[in-house]
Amino acid sequence: MRPIRQARSTGCRQRLCVLMLLACCIGAHAAEPAAGAPLTQQERALHVLNRLGYGPRPGDLAEVQQMGVKRYIDQQLHPERIPLPQDLQARLAALPALQMTPSQLFVDYGPPSFDRDASKEEKQAARQRAGRELTPQFHQARLLQATESPRQLEEVMTEFWANHFNVFEGKEWVRYWVGDYEKNAIRPYALGNFRQLLGAVAHHPAMLYYLDNWLSSGAGTPGARGRFKGLNENYARELMELHTLGVDGGYQQADVITLARILSGWTIDVEAMKTGAAPFAFNQRRHDFAPKTFLGRPLAVRGYQEGEAALDILANHPSTARFISTQLAQYFVADKPDPALVQKLAQTFLATHGDIRAVLQVLFDSPQFWSRSNYQTQFKTPYQFVVSSLRATATPVMNSRPVNGALAQFGMPLYGWLTPEGYKYSEEAWLNPDALLRRINFAGGLAGGKSPIARAEGVPPAGVDARPADPQQLLSTLGPAITPDAVAKIQASPANFQAGLILGSPDFVKR
């Protein structure tokens, strides 16, 4: 019993040590520069690494300081100019699910692959195969790129838009397509044109299935039969409320119904997928061809083109410019951004017809972005915390399951938000005592070198050279992220606790 008691005692001492640090560091920011003081060069480098990416890896801080933040921002705004590491490319290429088309994924893992004559148990196993084989690959791809890609702004914006246009992988067929959705409907447009992004999302089977538009048919149309009978407003409502105009964007319930009518017949062609054809189809037998007025504008009766015209209207609407600009300012600057900044971003959005890169350039050039009052003030979401921890410790993601397990404990599993609004990014959503304790436990396990993340699934711990994180290396990597007062308290703690204290500190949970 003595070794068990000793282990428990050690764990209790470590947790007590961390909690003492949390209490002691509450007032650590009192010694910081005055609120109006400009950021130092090192602080500016840390700021862009934290906001345009998921925090520094070893050596990043010095590299950004050397090149200058202006050049770094320019590089990040043009990810195509940044070569991907060969090892990262090879690991992504080794994930077969990422190389499959949506039709192949559906045929190989969906209903076409189910044996109708199989036993109940065999049918259940067939339905669960996608979760066993596809899901880990999609999670692995996201985490590999977030932790190892030098194109950090591309990763941040891919996550931002995937969350903005949220789909839930747990909804039946969405599980087959969520990886392709992110790879081909989100990532290519993450820094591009908003209208093109909106269109790619609207045509993708993951969104068509998730919000049921594939089932929607105009009332009384020839094809309105069986499960396709009736108008479905789900996608039309979320397209305006969450994807474009915003809840206060000036639309009425009548506009929701009209948009649903406009998009009737936008569907998934299941039979065509079996032959390898693309999933999206326009079924004119299910389209409402009656005249329509949308947001006060009459639309010509043009079938499929009515939907494209509606997307054009939404993408270029002033309410959309304001809504998207507000969300970008909240993500990159502050939970409650300066209205003047939002207005400036919205003007740029409208003037450039939704050029996301141009809007971000204005944001990164703004005084609000560089204000000390917005430096190291945003509370990291669970995803930001976990990824920044993996980057800071240079932990290779060999096994995505324990990462997503931790994210699930924190309340933010990958592709795991059930409803269309996606995860929130605010401090209010994530800051609570239980969440802090869970982060401390994760930090302790990662810093101690005992996490299963760094070893492939099925490999025993004895087969991996697991080393605890070096606290001095961590402090060097994070630079001014950890305040001098916190550093002093950490270094006064037992050496084997220090790395965990750094990752579990109140300073590290901010960005």
Side-chain angles (χ1 to χ4, degrees):
M1 292 297 292
R2 191 169 300 171
I4 295 175
R5 287 176 181 165
Q6 184 175 2
R8 286 177 178 169
S9 177
T10 301
C12 289
R13 286 201 305 272
Q14 184 171 11
R15 182 174 296 182
L16 179 61
C17 192
V18 174
L19 292 175
M20 287 175 62
L21 178 70
L22 282 169
C24 292
C25 287
I26 293 296
H29 294 284
E32 288 184 353
L39 302 183
T40 68
Q41 289 303 309
Q42 191 179 41
E43 288 173 334
R44 286 167 63 88
L46 175 69
H47 191 53
V48 294
L49 285 165
N50 275 339
R51 297 295 174 92
L52 276 69
Y54 294 113
R57 286 172 64 92
D60 281 356
L61 202 58
E63 183 179 346
V64 174
Q65 280 186 269
Q66 184 176 8
M67 75 165 64
V69 295
K70 186 174 181 180
R71 183 182 169 200
Y72 178 78
I73 291 172
D74 183 64
Q75 281 189 350
Q76 291 298 313
L77 284 168
H78 297 88
E80 70 280 358
R81 302 175 185 173
I82 307 173
L84 288 178
Q86 290 294 324
D87 179 65
L88 175 57
Q89 293 186 52
R91 292 184 67 187
L92 292 173
L95 298 172
L98 261 65
Q99 322 313 322
M100 300 172 70
T101 67
S103 295
Q104 289 172 329
L105 290 163
F106 180 76
V107 170
D108 289 3
Y109 288 91
S113 69
F114 301 162
D115 183 356
R116 293 184 178 180
D117 298 325
S119 67
K120 182 179 178 180
E121 292 75 16
E122 289 171 333
K123 289 179 180 178
Q124 182 70 8
R127 288 183 172 86
Q128 294 174 344
R129 192 163 68 92
R132 295 194 308 270
E133 298 180 16
L134 294 182
T135 301
Q137 294 184 62
F138 296 152
H139 291 182
Q140 183 81 358
R142 161 72 84 85
L143 294 167
L144 280 176
Q145 291 172 99
T147 56
E148 297 186 17
S149 174
R151 302 173 180 177
Q152 280 288 283
L153 182 58
E154 181 179 73
E155 296 311 309
V156 163
M157 291 307 297
T158 296
E159 183 220 343
F160 175 88
W161 291 121
N163 190 64
H164 180 84
F165 297 106
N166 180 59
V167 296
F168 173 53
E169 72 175 2
K171 183 172 179 178
E172 301 167 319
W173 295 3
V174 176
R175 189 177 297 279
Y176 314 138
W177 295 319
V178 69
D180 183 85
Y181 176 70
E182 181 167 295
K183 179 184 176 183
N184 292 313
I186 302 291
R187 183 176 294 276
Y189 310 99
L191 289 162
N193 177 266
F194 181 77
R195 171 61 180 88
Q196 293 179 344
L197 171 62
L198 191 65
V201 167
H203 289 81
H204 199 278
M207 182 59 74
L208 287 165
Y209 189 89
Y210 174 59
L211 289 178
D212 304 313
N213 202 83
W214 82 293
L215 298 171
S216 187
S217 303
T221 56
R225 300 176 180 178
R227 62 179 173 177
F228 301 112
K229 186 177 182 179
L231 194 66
N232 192 298
E233 300 173 12
N234 287 355
Y235 178 54
R237 179 177 294 103
E238 309 307 352
L239 177 54
M240 288 195 284
E241 179 178 330
L242 299 175
H243 297 173
T244 56
L245 305 177
V247 68
D248 299 318
Y251 65 91
Q252 307 296 327
Q253 173 61 19
D255 294 307
V256 174
I257 297 172
T258 299
L259 184 54
R261 292 171 55 211
I262 289 169
L263 295 172
S264 59
W266 284 45
T267 190
I268 298 169
D269 192 330
V270 174
E271 293 305 314
M273 279 196 292
K274 294 177 182 178
T275 68
F280 176 81
F282 174 69
N283 187 330
Q284 63 179 0
R285 287 175 52 79
R286 290 166 47 201
H287 181 69
D288 180 343
F289 279 94
K292 306 173 186 75
T293 298
F294 178 55
L295 293 174
R297 299 172 62 170
L299 289 184
V301 179
R302 294 183 294 166
Y304 165 75
Q305 289 300 329
E306 294 172 19
E308 295 294 345
L311 294 180
D312 289 342
I313 292 170
L314 291 169
N316 292 284
H317 198 284
S319 292
T320 299
R322 183 172 59 252
F323 183 58
I324 299 300
S325 297
T326 299
Q327 291 195 321
L328 288 171
Q330 288 173 332
Y331 185 94
F332 286 103
V333 181
D335 289 357
K336 297 180 180 179
D338 183 350
L341 173 61
V342 172
Q343 178 65 18
K344 191 172 184 179
L345 298 180
Q347 290 172 345
T348 304
F349 187 100
L350 290 173
T352 62
H353 301 287
D355 186 329
I356 299 166
R357 182 181 287 108
V359 174
L360 289 176
Q361 181 70 73
V362 171
L363 189 154
F364 299 144
D365 285 341
S366 70
Q368 292 92 336
F369 179 75
W370 293 107
S371 171
R372 183 169 291 280
S373 63
N374 292 323
Y375 167 74
Q376 287 294 99
T377 54
Q378 287 191 306
F379 190 76
K380 292 177 181 176
T381 67
Y383 182 77
Q384 292 165 347
F385 173 75
V386 168
V387 174
S388 63
S389 299
L390 296 170
R391 285 178 58 79
T393 56
T395 302
V397 180
M398 305 301 294
N399 184 357
S400 65
R401 291 185 191 274
V403 182
N404 203 46
L407 289 170
Q409 285 190 349
F410 297 153
M412 199 178 185
L414 294 173
Y415 317 116
W417 189 253
L418 178 65
T419 48
E421 74 274 14
Y423 293 112
K424 291 180 171 59
Y425 287 110
S426 66
E427 177 176 308
E428 181 182 10
W430 300 110
L431 178 56
N432 60 73
D434 180 66
L436 287 175
L437 187 57
R438 289 179 185 276
R439 294 189 187 206
I440 290 168
N441 290 335
F442 175 83
L446 187 66
K450 298 178 180 179
S451 172
I453 296 169
R455 61 178 186 269
E457 190 173 1
V459 175
V464 177
D465 182 18
R467 298 179 182 178
D470 182 345
Q472 295 309 311
Q473 176 66 61
L474 261 181
L475 290 174
S476 175
T477 296
L478 298 173
I482 311 300
T483 60
D485 282 358
V487 170
K489 291 180 174 68
I490 289 167
Q491 292 181 333
S493 302
N496 59 325
F497 292 163
Q498 290 181 9
L501 293 176
I502 294 168
L503 296 180
S505 71
D507 291 335
F508 187 73
V509 299
K510 294 291 186 74
R511 67 182 190 109

